Amino acid sequence: MLYDITMCKGGDCPRKHLCYRYTADIEGRQDFFPNPPFDFEQNTCEFYWQDVQRFEQIKARAYDLWLDERRPRGRALDHWLKAENECIYQWSQWDKLS
């Protein structure tokens, strides 16, 4: 774990399940933002740091969906969004258990 980065508690941030500052395991003492830094007016977060492992999980699920549908053309975004929604739902269920 990187102790020299500020972590985020997520709050109602719509991207928290894909942000490393929210998803990383906390081991020991760690600093957090006092409030989630997501800017709802601009729909962005200047501190967003993509969680590469979760990105790869979404990519693998989107690929599986593409294969399940017999490799259709022009549906990449549909498969990606469905995979992202499925993964985020699964991760949010894990959050409820911990």
Side-chain angles (χ1 to χ4, degrees):
M1 176 62 190
L2 300 173
Y3 295 106
D4 59 344
I5 67 167
T6 303
M7 301 299 289
C8 182
K9 294 182 182 178
D12 56 355
C13 174
R15 304 302 291 168
K16 68 183 176 185
H17 292 290
L18 299 173
C19 183
Y20 185 78
R21 292 180 188 276
Y22 175 77
T23 61
D25 292 331
I26 306 299
E27 299 173 6
R29 186 175 173 172
Q30 184 67 52
D31 290 331
F32 285 84
F33 292 111
N35 296 307
F38 189 82
D39 183 345
F40 285 93
E41 290 180 17
Q42 299 293 321
N43 197 31
T44 188
C45 179
E46 68 178 291
F47 298 101
Y48 177 78
W49 190 354
Q50 184 177 32
D51 186 329
V52 175
Q53 289 179 332
R54 289 192 170 196
F55 177 83
E56 292 297 322
Q57 289 174 355
I58 293 169
K59 185 166 76 171
R61 180 62 185 136
Y63 180 74
D64 289 341
L65 292 170
W66 179 70
L67 290 177
D68 290 347
E69 291 186 17
R70 301 180 186 229
R71 303 175 185 180
R73 292 179 187 218
R75 304 260 342 270
L77 181 59
D78 295 334
H79 294 132
W80 183 268
L81 294 175
K82 183 175 181 181
E84 187 176 56
N85 286 334
E86 287 178 8
C87 290
I88 288 173
Y89 176 78
Q90 183 180 29
W91 298 325
S92 67
Q93 296 304 305
W94 292 342
D95 287 349
K96 289 178 184 177
L97 295 175
S98 56

